[in-house]
Amino acid sequence: MSVDEQRRVKRLPREVRERQILDAAVRVFSEHGYHNASMDEISDVAGVSKPMIYAYLGHKEDLFAACIRREAGLLMAAIAAGVRAELPPDMQLWHGLRAFFRFVGDQRASWRVLHRQATSQGGPFSEELLAMRARAITLVTALLARSAAESDLDDSAVKSTEALAAALVGAGESLADWWLDHPSVPEKVVASWLMNLVWMGFGDLVEGAVWTPTPE
Amino acid sequence: MSVDEQRRVKRLPREVRERQILDAAVRVFSEHGYHNASMDEISDVAGVSKPMIYAYLGHKEDLFAACIRREAGLLMAAIAAGVRAELPPDMQLWHGLRAFFRFVGDQRASWRVLHRQATSQGGPFSEELLAMRARAITLVTALLARSAAESDLDDSAVKSTEALAAALVGAGESLADWWLDHPSVPEKVVASWLMNLVWMGFGDLVEGAVWTPTPE
DNA sequence: CCCGTAGCCTACTCAGAAGTAGGTTTCGGG
DNA sequence: CCCGAAACCTACTTCTGAGTAGGCTACGGG
Protein backbone atom coordinates (compact mmCIF):
# COMPACT_ATOMS: atom_id res chain seq x y z
CA MET A 1 0.00 0.00 0.00
CA SER A 2 2.73 2.41 1.00
CA VAL A 3 4.65 2.16 -2.22
CA ASP A 4 1.88 2.27 -4.78
CA GLU A 5 0.72 5.57 -3.40
CA GLN A 6 3.86 7.34 -4.46
CA ARG A 7 3.96 6.21 -8.09
CA ARG A 8 6.03 3.01 -7.96
CA VAL A 9 9.62 3.64 -6.97
CA LYS A 10 12.09 2.99 -9.76
CA ARG A 11 14.15 -0.16 -9.96
CA LEU A 12 16.85 -0.16 -7.36
CA PRO A 13 20.17 -1.96 -7.09
CA ARG A 14 20.28 -5.17 -5.13
CA GLU A 15 22.04 -3.84 -2.05
CA VAL A 16 19.44 -1.16 -1.50
CA ARG A 17 16.60 -3.64 -1.72
CA GLU A 18 18.37 -5.99 0.63
CA ARG A 19 18.64 -3.23 3.19
CA GLN A 20 14.97 -2.35 2.83
CA ILE A 21 14.00 -5.98 3.20
CA LEU A 22 16.15 -6.43 6.30
CA ASP A 23 14.73 -3.27 7.83
CA ALA A 24 11.22 -4.50 7.23
CA ALA A 25 12.04 -7.97 8.50
CA VAL A 26 13.52 -6.69 11.75
CA ARG A 27 10.45 -4.60 12.33
CA VAL A 28 7.93 -7.31 11.55
CA PHE A 29 9.79 -10.04 13.41
CA SER A 30 10.04 -7.84 16.46
CA GLU A 31 6.35 -7.01 16.36
CA HIS A 32 4.89 -10.46 15.83
CA GLY A 33 7.64 -12.89 16.69
CA TYR A 34 9.31 -15.27 14.31
CA HIS A 35 6.42 -17.60 13.67
CA ASN A 36 3.62 -15.08 13.54
CA ALA A 37 5.54 -12.91 11.14
CA SER A 38 4.51 -13.73 7.61
CA MET A 39 6.71 -13.35 4.58
CA ASP A 40 3.77 -11.61 2.96
CA GLU A 41 3.73 -8.90 5.59
CA ILE A 42 7.47 -8.42 5.41
CA SER A 43 7.34 -8.08 1.65
CA ASP A 44 4.49 -5.63 2.01
CA VAL A 45 6.30 -3.48 4.56
CA ALA A 46 9.45 -3.58 2.48
CA GLY A 47 7.49 -2.44 -0.56
CA VAL A 48 8.65 -5.43 -2.53
CA SER A 49 7.08 -8.65 -3.70
CA LYS A 50 7.64 -11.92 -1.92
CA PRO A 51 9.75 -13.63 -4.56
CA MET A 52 12.28 -10.81 -4.27
CA ILE A 53 12.91 -11.78 -0.68
CA TYR A 54 13.50 -15.36 -1.65
CA ALA A 55 15.76 -14.30 -4.50
CA TYR A 56 17.90 -12.02 -2.32
CA LEU A 57 17.81 -13.33 1.23
CA GLY A 58 16.62 -16.91 0.89
CA HIS A 59 14.10 -18.74 3.02
CA LYS A 60 12.48 -17.50 6.19
CA GLU A 61 15.16 -18.99 8.43
CA ASP A 62 17.92 -17.44 6.38
CA LEU A 63 16.23 -14.09 6.47
CA PHE A 64 15.88 -14.23 10.23
CA ALA A 65 19.47 -15.27 10.70
CA ALA A 66 20.54 -12.38 8.47
CA CYS A 67 18.59 -9.99 10.69
CA ILE A 68 20.29 -11.28 13.80
CA ARG A 69 23.71 -11.09 12.28
CA ARG A 70 23.28 -7.53 11.13
CA GLU A 71 21.78 -6.23 14.35
CA ALA A 72 24.24 -8.08 16.53
CA GLY A 73 27.07 -6.49 14.60
CA LEU A 74 25.60 -3.04 15.13
CA LEU A 75 25.19 -3.63 18.85
CA MET A 76 28.72 -4.84 19.36
CA ALA A 77 30.05 -1.93 17.37
CA ALA A 78 28.06 0.50 19.51
CA ILE A 79 29.43 -0.97 22.72
CA ALA A 80 32.98 -1.15 21.50
CA ALA A 81 32.74 2.49 20.44
CA GLY A 82 31.60 3.46 23.94
CA VAL A 83 34.40 1.78 25.86
CA ARG A 84 37.58 3.85 25.93
CA ALA A 85 40.57 1.78 26.90
CA GLU A 86 42.48 4.48 28.75
CA LEU A 87 39.87 4.86 31.49
CA PRO A 88 39.84 2.97 34.79
CA PRO A 89 37.89 -0.33 34.81
CA ASP A 90 34.79 0.91 36.57
CA MET A 91 34.45 3.81 34.17
CA GLN A 92 34.94 1.50 31.23
CA LEU A 93 32.19 -0.72 32.50
CA TRP A 94 30.03 2.31 33.07
CA HIS A 95 30.48 3.55 29.53
CA GLY A 96 29.94 0.11 28.12
CA LEU A 97 26.69 -0.23 30.01
CA ARG A 98 25.50 3.17 28.89
CA ALA A 99 26.31 2.41 25.27
CA PHE A 100 24.48 -0.86 25.57
CA PHE A 101 21.35 0.65 27.07
CA ARG A 102 21.45 3.53 24.64
CA PHE A 103 21.45 1.05 21.78
CA VAL A 104 18.55 -0.86 23.26
CA GLY A 105 16.63 2.34 23.84
CA ASP A 106 17.18 3.66 20.36
CA GLN A 107 16.71 0.37 18.58
CA ARG A 108 13.95 -1.35 20.48
CA ALA A 109 12.94 -3.36 17.45
CA SER A 110 16.46 -4.58 16.94
CA TRP A 111 16.78 -5.64 20.52
CA ARG A 112 13.46 -7.48 20.43
CA VAL A 113 14.37 -9.47 17.40
CA LEU A 114 17.87 -9.96 18.66
CA HIS A 115 17.24 -11.14 22.13
CA ARG A 116 13.67 -12.11 22.82
CA GLN A 117 12.96 -13.77 19.53
CA ALA A 118 16.28 -15.39 18.88
CA THR A 119 16.50 -16.77 22.40
CA SER A 120 13.19 -18.49 22.16
CA GLN A 121 13.69 -20.09 18.78
CA GLY A 122 15.91 -23.09 18.87
CA GLY A 123 18.22 -24.28 16.14
CA PRO A 124 20.39 -22.05 14.03
CA PHE A 125 19.22 -18.81 15.63
CA SER A 126 20.47 -19.39 19.10
CA GLU A 127 23.87 -20.10 17.61
CA GLU A 128 24.03 -16.62 16.15
CA LEU A 129 23.06 -15.29 19.55
CA LEU A 130 25.54 -17.47 21.35
CA ALA A 131 28.26 -16.10 19.13
CA MET A 132 27.38 -12.53 19.98
CA ARG A 133 27.05 -13.25 23.66
CA ALA A 134 30.42 -14.95 23.56
CA ARG A 135 31.94 -11.81 22.09
CA ALA A 136 30.31 -9.69 24.77
CA ILE A 137 31.52 -11.98 27.52
CA THR A 138 35.04 -11.91 26.14
CA LEU A 139 34.93 -8.15 26.23
CA VAL A 140 33.70 -7.99 29.80
CA THR A 141 36.07 -10.70 30.94
CA ALA A 142 39.00 -8.74 29.62
CA LEU A 143 37.76 -5.68 31.42
CA LEU A 144 37.39 -7.49 34.71
CA ALA A 145 40.70 -9.22 34.29
CA ARG A 146 42.44 -5.87 33.89
CA SER A 147 40.63 -4.68 36.94
CA ALA A 148 41.68 -7.75 38.85
CA ALA A 149 45.27 -7.44 37.73
CA GLU A 150 45.51 -4.11 39.51
CA SER A 151 44.81 -5.78 42.82
CA ASP A 152 46.32 -8.93 44.24
CA LEU A 153 43.89 -11.73 43.57
CA ASP A 154 44.09 -15.41 44.36
CA ASP A 155 43.65 -18.08 41.72
CA SER A 156 40.13 -19.23 42.48
CA ALA A 157 38.83 -15.68 42.19
CA VAL A 158 40.51 -15.25 38.83
CA LYS A 159 39.02 -18.47 37.56
CA SER A 160 35.51 -17.31 38.20
CA THR A 161 36.02 -14.08 36.33
CA GLU A 162 34.55 -15.41 33.16
CA ALA A 163 31.57 -16.80 34.98
CA LEU A 164 30.94 -13.43 36.56
CA ALA A 165 31.23 -11.83 33.17
CA ALA A 166 28.60 -14.22 31.91
CA ALA A 167 26.34 -13.32 34.81
CA LEU A 168 26.81 -9.63 34.15
CA VAL A 169 26.04 -10.00 30.49
CA GLY A 170 22.98 -12.01 31.41
CA ALA A 171 21.89 -9.41 33.92
CA GLY A 172 22.28 -6.74 31.29
CA GLU A 173 20.26 -8.62 28.73
CA SER A 174 17.61 -9.33 31.25
CA LEU A 175 17.41 -5.80 32.57
CA ALA A 176 17.16 -4.53 29.02
CA ASP A 177 14.25 -6.88 28.49
CA TRP A 178 12.63 -5.52 31.61
CA TRP A 179 13.22 -2.01 30.39
CA LEU A 180 11.35 -2.76 27.18
CA ASP A 181 8.26 -3.15 29.30
CA HIS A 182 8.97 -0.07 31.43
CA PRO A 183 10.01 2.53 28.87
CA SER A 184 9.36 5.51 31.14
CA VAL A 185 12.57 4.95 33.10
CA PRO A 186 15.43 7.02 31.64
CA GLU A 187 18.36 5.21 30.11
CA LYS A 188 20.90 6.70 32.50
CA VAL A 189 18.91 5.49 35.48
CA VAL A 190 18.65 1.93 34.26
CA ALA A 191 22.34 1.89 33.53
CA SER A 192 23.19 3.20 36.97
CA TRP A 193 21.03 0.59 38.63
CA LEU A 194 22.91 -2.18 36.98
CA MET A 195 26.23 -0.50 37.61
CA ASN A 196 25.48 -0.17 41.30
CA LEU A 197 24.13 -3.65 41.64
CA VAL A 198 27.07 -5.14 39.88
CA TRP A 199 29.86 -3.02 41.24
CA MET A 200 28.72 -2.39 44.79
CA GLY A 201 26.34 -5.25 45.54
CA PHE A 202 23.37 -5.17 47.85
CA GLY A 203 25.58 -5.64 50.82
CA ASP A 204 27.20 -2.23 50.31
CA LEU A 205 24.15 -0.48 48.93
CA VAL A 206 22.15 -1.37 51.95
CA GLU A 207 24.75 0.39 54.03
CA GLY A 208 24.20 3.53 52.02
CA ALA A 209 27.17 3.32 49.70
CA VAL A 210 26.58 4.35 46.10
CA TRP A 211 28.76 4.24 43.04
CA THR A 212 28.87 7.46 41.03
CA PRO A 213 30.78 8.18 37.87
CA THR A 214 33.80 10.40 38.38
CA PRO A 215 33.43 13.45 36.12
CA GLU A 216 36.01 13.51 33.36
CA MET B 1 1.87 -45.67 20.27
CA SER B 2 2.81 -45.83 23.91
CA VAL B 3 -0.65 -46.56 25.16
CA ASP B 4 -1.88 -49.10 22.65
CA GLU B 5 1.03 -51.32 23.48
CA GLN B 6 -0.16 -51.92 26.99
CA ARG B 7 -3.72 -52.92 26.22
CA ARG B 8 -5.61 -49.62 26.32
CA VAL B 9 -5.71 -48.07 29.76
CA LYS B 10 -9.16 -48.00 31.30
CA ARG B 11 -11.32 -44.92 31.34
CA LEU B 12 -10.04 -42.45 33.84
CA PRO B 13 -11.68 -39.60 35.73
CA ARG B 14 -11.36 -36.14 34.29
CA GLU B 15 -8.82 -34.76 36.75
CA VAL B 16 -6.38 -37.54 36.05
CA ARG B 17 -6.59 -37.00 32.31
CA GLU B 18 -6.17 -33.28 32.76
CA ARG B 19 -2.97 -33.84 34.68
CA GLN B 20 -1.65 -36.22 32.03
CA ILE B 21 -2.48 -33.72 29.32
CA LEU B 22 -0.80 -30.87 31.15
CA ASP B 23 2.29 -32.99 31.77
CA ALA B 24 2.48 -33.84 28.10
CA ALA B 25 1.85 -30.26 27.05
CA VAL B 26 4.62 -28.87 29.26
CA ARG B 27 7.02 -31.39 27.83
CA VAL B 28 6.10 -30.84 24.20
CA PHE B 29 5.91 -27.05 24.47
CA SER B 30 9.31 -26.97 26.11
CA GLU B 31 10.83 -29.17 23.43
CA HIS B 32 9.46 -27.50 20.33
CA GLY B 33 8.24 -24.10 21.43
CA TYR B 34 4.68 -22.92 21.36
CA HIS B 35 4.19 -22.72 17.65
CA ASN B 36 6.05 -25.81 16.60
CA ALA B 37 4.27 -27.90 19.16
CA SER B 38 1.29 -29.58 17.57
CA MET B 39 -1.85 -30.56 19.36
CA ASP B 40 -1.50 -33.94 17.68
CA GLU B 41 1.86 -34.56 19.31
CA ILE B 42 0.61 -33.44 22.70
CA SER B 43 -2.37 -35.74 22.45
CA ASP B 44 -0.08 -38.55 21.38
CA VAL B 45 2.33 -38.04 24.27
CA ALA B 46 -0.56 -37.76 26.70
CA GLY B 47 -1.97 -41.04 25.38
CA VAL B 48 -5.26 -39.39 24.60
CA SER B 49 -7.04 -38.27 21.45
CA LYS B 50 -7.07 -34.66 20.35
CA PRO B 51 -10.74 -33.92 20.99
CA MET B 52 -10.21 -34.82 24.64
CA ILE B 53 -7.78 -31.93 24.97
CA TYR B 54 -10.26 -29.55 23.47
CA ALA B 55 -13.00 -30.90 25.69
CA TYR B 56 -10.98 -30.57 28.89
CA LEU B 57 -8.49 -27.76 28.44
CA GLY B 58 -9.84 -25.77 25.52
CA HIS B 59 -7.92 -24.32 22.62
CA LYS B 60 -4.18 -24.25 22.17
CA GLU B 61 -3.83 -20.85 23.83
CA ASP B 62 -5.86 -21.93 26.81
CA LEU B 63 -3.81 -25.06 27.16
CA PHE B 64 -0.56 -23.13 27.11
CA ALA B 65 -1.84 -20.61 29.63
CA ALA B 66 -2.89 -23.46 31.88
CA CYS B 67 0.63 -24.88 31.69
CA ILE B 68 2.16 -21.57 32.68
CA ARG B 69 -0.21 -21.08 35.56
CA ARG B 70 0.43 -24.49 36.99
CA GLU B 71 4.21 -24.39 36.68
CA ALA B 72 4.45 -20.84 37.95
CA GLY B 73 2.52 -21.86 41.02
CA LEU B 74 4.90 -24.74 41.66
CA LEU B 75 7.94 -22.50 41.30
CA MET B 76 6.66 -19.87 43.67
CA ALA B 77 5.74 -22.52 46.18
CA ALA B 78 9.23 -24.01 45.98
CA ILE B 79 10.87 -20.65 46.61
CA ALA B 80 8.55 -19.69 49.41
CA ALA B 81 9.23 -23.05 51.05
CA GLY B 82 12.97 -22.38 50.89
CA VAL B 83 12.95 -18.96 52.52
CA ARG B 84 12.80 -19.14 56.31
CA ALA B 85 11.73 -15.86 57.81
CA GLU B 86 13.76 -16.07 61.01
CA LEU B 87 17.13 -16.00 59.24
CA PRO B 88 19.15 -12.85 58.51
CA PRO B 89 18.49 -11.21 55.12
CA ASP B 90 21.53 -12.48 53.30
CA MET B 91 20.81 -16.05 54.36
CA GLN B 92 17.20 -15.68 53.30
CA LEU B 93 18.32 -14.50 49.90
CA TRP B 94 20.77 -17.35 49.72
CA HIS B 95 18.14 -19.95 50.48
CA GLY B 96 15.71 -18.35 48.07
CA LEU B 97 18.29 -18.46 45.31
CA ARG B 98 19.14 -22.05 46.02
CA ALA B 99 15.49 -23.08 46.01
CA PHE B 100 15.02 -21.26 42.74
CA PHE B 101 17.97 -22.89 41.03
CA ARG B 102 17.07 -26.25 42.44
CA PHE B 103 13.63 -25.93 40.88
CA VAL B 104 15.08 -24.94 37.55
CA GLY B 105 17.55 -27.80 37.68
CA ASP B 106 14.96 -30.40 38.56
CA GLN B 107 12.26 -29.11 36.27
CA ARG B 108 14.08 -27.98 33.19
CA ALA B 109 11.03 -28.53 31.02
CA SER B 110 8.91 -26.42 33.31
CA TRP B 111 11.38 -23.60 33.29
CA ARG B 112 11.67 -23.69 29.53
CA VAL B 113 7.97 -23.45 28.98
CA LEU B 114 7.63 -20.96 31.75
CA HIS B 115 10.31 -18.52 30.89
CA ARG B 116 11.69 -18.93 27.42
CA GLN B 117 8.48 -19.73 25.67
CA ALA B 118 6.14 -17.47 27.55
CA THR B 119 8.47 -14.49 27.29
CA SER B 120 8.73 -14.74 23.57
CA GLN B 121 5.03 -15.13 22.85
CA GLY B 122 3.14 -11.92 23.14
CA GLY B 123 -0.45 -11.53 24.20
CA PRO B 124 -2.06 -13.37 27.07
CA PHE B 125 1.00 -15.44 27.94
CA SER B 126 3.29 -12.66 28.96
CA GLU B 127 0.59 -11.50 31.33
CA GLU B 128 0.72 -14.77 33.21
CA LEU B 129 4.47 -14.38 33.38
CA LEU B 130 4.26 -10.78 34.45
CA ALA B 131 2.02 -11.81 37.29
CA MET B 132 4.50 -14.38 38.52
CA ARG B 133 7.43 -12.04 38.16
CA ALA B 134 5.50 -9.43 40.08
CA ARG B 135 5.02 -11.89 42.92
CA ALA B 136 8.73 -12.74 42.90
CA ILE B 137 9.69 -9.07 42.92
CA THR B 138 7.37 -8.38 45.81
CA LEU B 139 9.02 -11.18 47.73
CA VAL B 140 12.53 -9.92 47.08
CA THR B 141 11.56 -6.33 47.71
CA ALA B 142 10.24 -7.26 51.13
CA LEU B 143 13.45 -9.09 51.86
CA LEU B 144 15.60 -6.15 50.86
CA ALA B 145 13.39 -3.72 52.70
CA ARG B 146 13.85 -5.70 55.90
CA SER B 147 17.55 -5.72 55.28
CA ALA B 148 17.50 -1.99 54.69
CA ALA B 149 15.44 -1.31 57.79
CA GLU B 150 18.25 -2.67 59.92
CA SER B 151 20.55 0.05 58.71
CA ASP B 152 19.87 3.78 58.38
CA LEU B 153 18.99 4.45 54.77
CA ASP B 154 18.08 7.65 53.01
CA ASP B 155 14.92 8.02 50.96
CA SER B 156 16.32 7.76 47.47
CA ALA B 157 17.97 4.46 48.30
CA VAL B 158 14.72 3.08 49.64
CA LYS B 159 12.87 4.12 46.54
CA SER B 160 15.15 2.18 44.31
CA THR B 161 14.75 -0.98 46.35
CA GLU B 162 12.03 -2.29 44.13
CA ALA B 163 14.03 -1.54 41.04
CA LEU B 164 16.95 -3.47 42.45
CA ALA B 165 14.65 -6.32 43.27
CA ALA B 166 13.50 -6.31 39.66
CA ALA B 167 17.09 -6.37 38.51
CA LEU B 168 17.89 -9.26 40.79
CA VAL B 169 14.90 -11.26 39.64
CA GLY B 170 15.90 -10.51 36.07
CA ALA B 171 19.45 -11.58 36.73
CA GLY B 172 18.18 -14.81 38.25
CA GLU B 173 15.94 -15.59 35.32
CA SER B 174 18.69 -14.83 32.94
CA LEU B 175 21.32 -16.83 34.75
CA ALA B 176 18.91 -19.75 34.92
CA ASP B 177 18.50 -19.51 31.17
CA TRP B 178 22.24 -19.54 30.78
CA TRP B 179 22.46 -22.53 33.04
CA LEU B 180 20.07 -24.45 30.79
CA ASP B 181 22.74 -24.31 28.15
CA HIS B 182 25.58 -25.17 30.56
CA PRO B 183 24.14 -28.01 32.62
CA SER B 184 27.50 -29.29 33.81
CA VAL B 185 27.85 -26.51 36.39
CA PRO B 186 26.49 -27.64 39.78
CA GLU B 187 23.45 -25.89 41.17
CA LYS B 188 25.21 -24.67 44.29
CA VAL B 189 27.90 -23.03 42.22
CA VAL B 190 25.50 -21.14 40.01
CA ALA B 191 23.61 -19.96 43.05
CA SER B 192 26.77 -18.78 44.77
CA TRP B 193 27.84 -16.86 41.68
CA LEU B 194 24.67 -14.88 41.67
CA MET B 195 24.77 -14.44 45.42
CA ASN B 196 28.27 -13.05 45.28
CA LEU B 197 27.61 -10.82 42.33
CA VAL B 198 24.50 -9.44 43.90
CA TRP B 199 25.58 -9.15 47.49
CA MET B 200 29.23 -8.22 47.17
CA GLY B 201 29.52 -6.64 43.72
CA PHE B 202 32.53 -6.69 41.47
CA GLY B 203 34.08 -3.86 43.37
CA ASP B 204 34.49 -6.01 46.46
CA LEU B 205 35.08 -9.30 44.69
CA VAL B 206 37.98 -7.85 42.81
CA GLU B 207 39.55 -6.99 46.13
CA GLY B 208 39.32 -10.62 47.13
CA ALA B 209 36.24 -10.47 49.30
CA VAL B 210 33.81 -13.39 49.02
CA TRP B 211 30.45 -14.02 50.53
CA THR B 212 30.02 -17.41 52.15
CA PRO B 213 26.99 -18.84 53.90
CA THR B 214 27.31 -18.95 57.67
CA PRO B 215 26.79 -22.55 58.79
CA GLU B 216 23.60 -22.97 60.79
C1' DC C 1 18.97 0.17 -32.20
C1' DC C 2 18.70 -4.38 -30.09
C1' DC C 3 19.32 -7.95 -26.80
C1' DG C 4 20.94 -10.01 -22.46
C1' DT C 5 20.53 -9.73 -17.89
C1' DA C 6 19.02 -7.96 -13.51
C1' DG C 7 15.00 -6.20 -11.26
C1' DC C 8 10.40 -7.21 -10.45
C1' DC C 9 5.48 -9.05 -10.24
C1' DT C 10 0.93 -11.89 -10.38
C1' DA C 11 -0.98 -15.87 -9.38
C1' DC C 12 -0.69 -20.02 -8.20
C1' DT C 13 0.49 -24.98 -5.34
C1' DC C 14 0.54 -27.56 -1.43
C1' DA C 15 1.61 -29.22 3.20
C1' DG C 16 0.71 -28.98 7.89
C1' DA C 17 -1.82 -28.12 11.74
C1' DA C 18 -6.05 -26.21 14.31
C1' DG C 19 -10.27 -27.36 15.32
C1' DT C 20 -14.92 -30.28 14.74
C1' DA C 21 -18.79 -33.55 13.61
C1' DG C 22 -20.68 -37.30 14.98
C1' DG C 23 -20.48 -41.73 16.58
C1' DT C 24 -19.20 -45.69 20.10
C1' DT C 25 -18.21 -47.73 24.54
C1' DT C 26 -18.23 -48.03 29.51
C1' DC C 27 -19.97 -46.99 34.08
C1' DG C 28 -22.98 -45.87 37.88
C1' DG C 29 -27.53 -45.08 39.64
C1' DG C 30 -32.44 -46.09 39.67
C1' DC D 1 -31.51 -54.70 33.99
C1' DC D 2 -31.68 -50.29 31.52
C1' DC D 3 -30.59 -45.60 30.37
C1' DG D 4 -28.31 -41.25 30.62
C1' DA D 5 -24.16 -39.13 30.87
C1' DA D 6 -19.32 -39.06 30.83
C1' DA D 7 -15.20 -40.87 28.59
C1' DC D 8 -13.31 -41.53 24.34
C1' DC D 9 -12.25 -42.21 19.34
C1' DT D 10 -11.85 -41.91 13.94
C1' DA D 11 -12.07 -39.24 10.29
C1' DC D 12 -12.86 -35.49 8.49
C1' DT D 13 -12.90 -29.89 7.03
C1' DT D 14 -10.72 -25.65 6.60
C1' DC D 15 -7.49 -22.19 6.47
C1' DT D 16 -3.15 -20.08 6.76
C1' DG D 17 1.16 -19.17 5.08
C1' DA D 18 5.68 -20.92 3.03
C1' DG D 19 7.55 -21.36 -1.15
C1' DT D 20 7.45 -21.32 -6.65
C1' DA D 21 6.46 -21.15 -11.74
C1' DG D 22 6.61 -18.46 -15.25
C1' DG D 23 6.69 -14.29 -17.27
C1' DC D 24 7.04 -9.04 -17.99
C1' DT D 25 10.00 -4.61 -18.17
C1' DA D 26 13.64 -1.42 -17.92
C1' DC D 27 18.51 -0.36 -18.47
C1' DG D 28 23.23 -0.62 -20.16
C1' DG D 29 26.61 -2.24 -23.41
C1' DG D 30 27.71 -3.48 -28.09
Side-chain angles (χ1 to χ4, degrees):
Chain A
M1 67 176 85
S2 53
V3 168
D4 278 355
E5 281 161 5
Q6 49 197 11
R7 220 210 275 100
R8 177 109 55 222
V9 174
K10 295 276 300 223
R11 287 168 181 228
L12 296 171
R14 177 170 182 150
E15 2 166 10
V16 176
R17 286 296 189 206
E18 283 188 352
R19 261 199 45 202
Q20 294 177 338
I21 293 171
L22 283 176
D23 290 343
V26 167
R27 187 171 136 198
V28 174
F29 280 135
S30 81
E31 275 168 12
H32 305 312
Y34 176 74
H35 268 281
N36 287 321
S38 74
M39 297 298 270
D40 282 295
E41 181 174 354
I42 294 173
S43 72
D44 193 49
V45 170
V48 152
S49 76
K50 209 168 24 150
M52 293 294 319
I53 303 183
Y54 284 88
Y56 287 167
L57 280 312
H59 291 199
K60 197 182 184 182
E61 281 199 357
D62 306 322
L63 175 61
F64 189 64
C67 290
I68 298 180
R69 245 193 313 276
R70 190 181 73 163
E71 303 305 316
L74 291 174
L75 170 59
M76 292 305 297
I79 295 180
V83 177
R84 291 168 46 196
E86 75 275 14
L87 297 173
D90 59 340
M91 287 306 287
Q92 277 191 52
L93 181 57
W94 171 240
H95 282 121
L97 286 180
R98 293 217 55 185
F100 169 67
F101 282 108
R102 223 177 293 126
F103 178 91
V104 175
D106 294 345
Q107 316 283 335
R108 312 214 153 201
S110 294
W111 177 253
R112 273 210 161 84
V113 74
L114 205 61
H115 189 246
R116 289 202 166 168
Q117 287 308 315
T119 324
S120 66
Q121 314 299 337
F125 311 134
S126 43
E127 286 173 31
E128 303 278 350
L129 244 260
L130 263 287
M132 183 198 68
R133 193 180 278 122
R135 282 203 282 158
I137 291 178
T138 305
L139 204 156
V140 176
T141 304
L143 199 160
L144 295 179
R146 273 193 6 116
S147 163
E150 291 177 3
S151 61
D152 49 343
L153 210 49
D154 61 4
D155 270 359
S156 65
V158 172
K159 268 187 202 164
S160 63
T161 303
E162 190 176 312
L164 287 175
L168 168 54
V169 170
E173 291 177 355
S174 165
L175 188 53
D177 255 11
W178 174 89
W179 191 30
L180 274 190
D181 300 325
H182 303 74
S184 64
V185 181
E187 170 261 316
K188 197 171 180 178
V189 172
V190 182
S192 76
W193 286 348
L194 187 52
M195 186 67 200
N196 268 290
L197 172 60
V198 141
W199 201 260
M200 307 292 291
F202 279 135
D204 291 342
L205 292 178
V206 137
E207 286 165 16
V210 183
W211 182 92
T212 42
T214 55
E216 313 203 22
Chain B
M1 68 176 84
S2 54
V3 168
D4 278 354
E5 281 162 4
Q6 50 197 12
R7 222 211 270 99
R8 179 109 55 223
V9 174
K10 296 275 299 226
R11 288 171 179 226
L12 296 171
R14 177 171 181 150
E15 0 166 11
V16 177
R17 286 296 190 206
E18 283 187 353
R19 260 199 46 202
Q20 293 177 336
I21 292 171
L22 282 175
D23 290 342
V26 167
R27 186 170 136 198
V28 175
F29 280 136
S30 81
E31 275 168 13
H32 305 312
Y34 175 74
H35 268 282
N36 288 321
S38 74
M39 297 298 270
D40 282 296
E41 182 174 353
I42 294 172
S43 72
D44 192 49
V45 170
V48 152
S49 76
K50 208 169 22 152
M52 293 295 316
I53 302 183
Y54 284 89
Y56 286 167
L57 279 312
H59 291 200
K60 196 181 185 183
E61 281 199 358
D62 305 322
L63 176 61
F64 189 63
C67 291
I68 298 179
R69 245 194 313 275
R70 190 181 73 164
E71 302 305 315
L74 292 174
L75 170 58
M76 292 305 297
I79 295 179
V83 176
R84 291 167 47 196
E86 74 275 14
L87 295 173
D90 60 339
M91 287 306 286
Q92 277 192 53
L93 181 56
W94 171 241
H95 283 120
L97 286 179
R98 293 216 55 186
F100 169 67
F101 283 108
R102 222 176 293 126
F103 178 91
V104 175
D106 294 345
Q107 315 284 334
R108 312 216 152 199
S110 294
W111 178 253
R112 273 210 162 84
V113 74
L114 205 62
H115 190 246
R116 289 202 168 169
Q117 287 308 316
T119 323
S120 66
Q121 314 300 338
F125 311 133
S126 44
E127 286 173 32
E128 305 277 351
L129 244 260
L130 262 287
M132 183 198 68
R133 192 180 279 123
R135 281 203 282 158
I137 291 177
T138 305
L139 204 155
V140 176
T141 304
L143 199 160
L144 296 178
R146 271 192 7 113
S147 163
E150 291 176 3
S151 62
D152 48 345
L153 211 48
D154 60 6
D155 270 359
S156 66
V158 172
K159 270 186 201 164
S160 63
T161 303
E162 190 176 313
L164 287 175
L168 168 53
V169 170
E173 292 177 355
S174 166
L175 189 53
D177 255 10
W178 174 88
W179 191 31
L180 275 189
D181 300 325
H182 303 72
S184 63
V185 181
E187 170 260 316
K188 198 171 179 178
V189 172
V190 182
S192 76
W193 287 346
L194 186 53
M195 186 68 199
N196 268 291
L197 172 60
V198 143
W199 201 261
M200 306 292 292
F202 279 134
D204 291 342
L205 291 178
V206 137
E207 286 164 15
V210 184
W211 182 93
T212 42
T214 55
E216 313 203 22

